[in-house]
Amino acid sequence: MTMLNHLSAFADRALRAAIPAPARYAVSLIDRRTGKPHRISDIPLRLMTCDPFEAAQELMRNRDPQIWDTFIERLDAKGLVQ
């Protein structure tokens, strides 16, 4: 194999290193009465997104703001909460 065979992989890695990835966020729907996240089949509802305010608006659509709230957390590059 020659170096040309690996050129596309090298270019992809160089591009990823040169252009930073957009920040990612986790948006949760919170029940104000209990202070706990909303669960579906005992799994907390949590959306991963690059636009947290748009996701929060979508989660709150047709919901009573006196009962529901959203919680936004920034994630690091590995997807862990900062």
Side-chain angles (χ1 to χ4, degrees):
M1 291 194 160
T2 66
M3 187 62 154
L4 292 176
N5 295 10
H6 302 287
L7 189 58
S8 64
F10 175 75
D12 181 55
R13 288 200 174 111
L15 186 61
R16 287 184 191 183
I19 300 173
R24 295 184 310 168
Y25 300 87
V27 182
S28 301
L29 185 64
I30 305 295
D31 186 343
R32 287 180 182 255
R33 298 169 291 190
T34 62
K36 295 183 180 179
H38 179 60
R39 294 178 172 268
I40 299 173
S41 298
D42 208 32
I43 299 171
L45 177 61
R46 189 174 196 188
L47 302 178
M48 307 299 182
T49 181
C50 293
D51 190 0
F53 299 108
E54 183 178 328
Q57 287 178 342
E58 286 294 317
L59 283 173
M60 289 299 293
R61 186 172 13 135
N62 298 328
R63 295 187 194 271
D64 185 357
Q66 293 180 348
I67 298 174
W68 299 102
D69 195 10
T70 55
F71 182 66
I72 300 171
E73 299 173 284
R74 186 181 171 111
L75 303 175
D76 64 6
K78 294 181 181 180
L80 302 173
V81 176
Q82 287 186 340

